[in-house]
Amino acid sequence: MSSRRELANAIRALSMDAVQKAKSGHPGAPMGMADIAEVLWNDHLKHNPTNPDWADRDRFVLSNGHGSMLIYSLLHLTGYDLPMDELKTFRQLHSKCAGHPEYSYAPGIETTTGPLGQGITNGVGFAMAEKLMADQFNKPGHDIVDHNTYVFMGDGCLMEGISHEACSLAGTWGLGKLIAFWDDNNISIDGHIDGWYTDDTVKRFEAYQWHVISVDGHDANAINAAIEEAKKVTDKPSLICCKTIIGFGSPNKSGSHDCHGAALGDEEVALTRKELGWEPAPFEIPDEVYAGWDGKAKGSRSEATWDEKFAAYAKKYPDLASEFTRRMAGDLPANWKEATDAMIAETNEAAAKLASRQASQKTIAALAPILPEFLGGSADLTGSNLTSCDSFKHVSGKESGNYISYGVREFGMYAIMNGMALHGGLIPFGGTFHMFSDYAKSAFRMAALMKIRTVAVLTHDSIGQGEDGPTHQPIENTSAMRLIPNMDVWRPGDSTEVAVAWTAAVERMDGPSSLIFSRQGMPGRKHDTADFAAIRKGAYVLSAAKGNAAAVIIATGSELDLAMQAQEVLAADGVNVSVVSMPSTNVFDRQDQAYKDSVLTPGVKRIAVEAGVTDFWRKYVGLEGGVVGIDTFGESAPGGVLMEHFGFTVDNVVKTVKDVL
């Protein structure tokens, strides 16, 4: 029977071998955290390698994702479908063992990590989701949602500001099932961190209302005792501060930044093997070590026990059990299409004159009763984003509910939402001013990269925001969001388009959506029912030209009305133009060429109108087309005044069309 240290040394060997073969990677962290990982995964982590998606598994997050060979080694050794041949292709094209852990590449990877600080924040999202799902589904004697979230993180994660946002909120929530391990090795890429990171981490987390324990990160008994203690603290998240040696076992490079982000070298690998007493050849693991790590039988027993619990739960609460299964599968309610079709039709019939943020609130209010997994929130702007409604119950500290006040934590909010979406059972959306989406851009990118369903509600969409001035007026932001691969961006131009956009965002299973809404009012507009399906395609002909079109005006959001008014003025002057509403450029770009040509007729001059930067629109109008936009920052004044000042007028649209012709 292998000792704990021998089992941990298997991680060290695989990590340095894979990095050495790739001539690239980060061996130091996996070698330093191997002892912690061995205790956690063998003695505490509830998981089943034969079913990585088991609903009540513990979630494990490697926030310091550069140490990716740690989790690849763990997955391989414990019996996940990650064969040794995959480890040998570490960091190579199409390998499941990418340079940083990538969600959906290898089984058992709960979230993509690498941008430091986001992993721990995802972990907070996992733990919040567990708590919310437990509140909604657990019944006395039937705890079907009952699992922990474990997070490994390094000094870099703690330096990133997002960790402050997330860990502070985790303390307020009292997330007792969140246990984080700090790899306290005093090293980052630039060397010993004493010159740039001297925080008192223990006091910091105690101030966040966390339970804090400090241990020797190479003492298995101390680590085990710390985890046992943390699991008993149910009203606070726990931080286990683990004093470790980076690159543990390397005689010449341990404790140094030399092993942080570079292969050890053949000679040092050989010396490390000798130092550790590890005799097997590279990528060879003795049978007794595999036996000591194998988690398949234990995992199957754990899941079977839960299956029995769930069967008893289903017998007593059949409707709840069915709902739980549906939600964890990510399926929408059976009446979803019927209910949303009716909601869109009613919205269209009303044709209300509203700011699109107001139309959004009405849509949220219509969706919430039919979508119990809907989880709203805002970064301290609920009354401005209009993201809440009467059917939501606000979460306040440790109370349950389905609407979250995140505080002024834009980045934290969206990264937490990513964790919630990955956990399953919830469809999270969160609001802020569009201008402050920049704070959260990396979280949006990660959602798009992982192809997960989150919804960003971004209001006050342009200089129409008004008096708050240029600091609060997005200019480049909408275009920048559109450039994120796999991000669907919607900027609707009336209430019906808002309703369709919301419906499409909720239905989308393979990526996030951003909904861009106005502070300024928009005219009511009643559509032909055929428009409902057309809106879903991202762009459509809202108003065809009378006769042959000399030009096409493309518009979005509040500027759509300018295009419609300009069409009338131009027609009176004998110039026939069609008006295309393009609420989502991303969705439109995915349509087939025949449809795109039916909307934007080839050979016909085009003019785009949007209160944002002009360069983006050149992909549609070309160099010969025209754009009514803004390429400067705004000013402080009422929104209507600013729109006129910066040229968002019917006269200027008309002039631009004529100049192009």
Side-chain angles (χ1 to χ4, degrees), residues 187-467:
I187 294 291
S188 66
I189 290 176
D190 278 2
H192 290 271
I193 62 175
D194 300 333
W196 53 89
Y197 186 65
T198 57
D199 296 19
D200 190 328
T201 300
V202 170
K203 289 183 179 178
R204 170 184 163 188
F205 276 79
E206 287 176 343
Y208 291 156
Q209 303 173 66
W210 284 52
H211 176 66
V212 183
I213 313 164
S214 297
V215 299
D216 178 349
H218 301 296
D219 184 336
N221 290 330
I223 297 164
N224 186 61
I227 298 172
E228 291 284 5
E229 179 182 332
K231 289 164 71 175
K232 292 176 183 175
V233 178
T234 60
D235 61 343
K236 293 181 178 180
S238 291
L239 176 69
I240 302 176
C241 306
C242 303
K243 197 66 182 176
T244 63
I245 300 170
I246 191 171
F248 182 94
S250 172
N252 298 302
K253 295 186 177 182
S254 65
S256 159
H257 69 285
D258 291 339
C259 65
H260 185 288
L264 297 180
D266 291 331
E267 183 178 347
E268 189 67 14
V269 168
L271 291 172
T272 304
R273 276 181 146 73
K274 186 176 180 180
E275 182 75 15
L276 296 173
W278 185 263
E279 296 180 356
F283 298 105
E284 290 186 5
I285 302 294
D287 289 343
E288 62 269 22
V289 173
Y290 272 129
W293 272 107
D294 192 352
K296 295 190 294 295
K298 182 180 178 182
S300 294
R301 288 194 299 271
S302 295
E303 185 173 356
T305 300
W306 183 83
D307 286 342
E308 291 177 5
K309 290 172 62 176
F310 190 76
Y313 178 84
K315 186 175 182 179
K316 190 168 184 179
Y317 305 102
D319 291 345
L320 279 174
S322 177
E323 183 73 357
F324 179 82
T325 301
R326 177 190 71 78
R327 286 172 55 172
M328 290 303 294
D331 298 332
L332 294 172
N335 66 335
W336 171 258
K337 186 176 187 308
E338 178 185 2
T340 53
D341 283 352
M343 180 267 295
I344 293 168
E346 289 170 11
T347 301
N348 186 61
E349 188 64 28
K353 183 179 180 180
L354 297 168
S356 55
R357 64 171 178 156
Q358 295 171 310
S360 169
Q361 186 177 42
K362 287 182 174 294
T363 304
I364 291 169
L367 295 179
I370 61 173
L371 197 65
E373 57 265 53
F374 221 21
L375 179 65
S378 173
D380 203 47
L381 285 167
T382 295
S384 294
N385 299 147
L386 303 183
T387 38
S388 189
C389 63
D390 291 342
S391 61
F392 280 136
K393 180 184 177 184
H394 286 234
V395 178
S396 178
K398 298 169 185 171
E399 296 178 7
S400 63
N402 56 356
Y403 187 89
I404 301 171
S405 291
Y406 287 93
V408 187
R409 296 182 174 97
E410 296 89 356
F411 191 6
M413 173 176 67
Y414 290 115
I416 286 170
M417 285 167 49
N418 288 348
M420 291 173 170
L422 289 161
H423 177 279
L426 300 167
I427 299 177
F429 70 89
T432 188
F433 283 179
H434 189 15
M435 186 64 248
F436 305 132
S437 63
D438 274 353
Y439 283 135
K441 194 65 63 66
S442 185
F444 295 145
R445 187 178 188 275
M446 295 297 282
L449 181 64
M450 292 188 281
K451 301 178 180 178
I452 57 177
R453 177 166 53 186
T454 62
V455 183
V457 177
L458 305 172
T459 69
H460 298 61
D461 67 354
S462 66
I463 56 172
Q465 200 276 351
E467 291 89 341

Side-chain angles (χ1 to χ4, degrees), residues 341 344-345 348-349 496 500 526-535:
D341 283 352
I344 293 168
N348 186 61
E349 188 64 28
T496 301
V500 172
K526 191 171 181 179
H527 293 259
D528 295 334
T529 54
D531 283 352
F532 301 167
I535 295 169

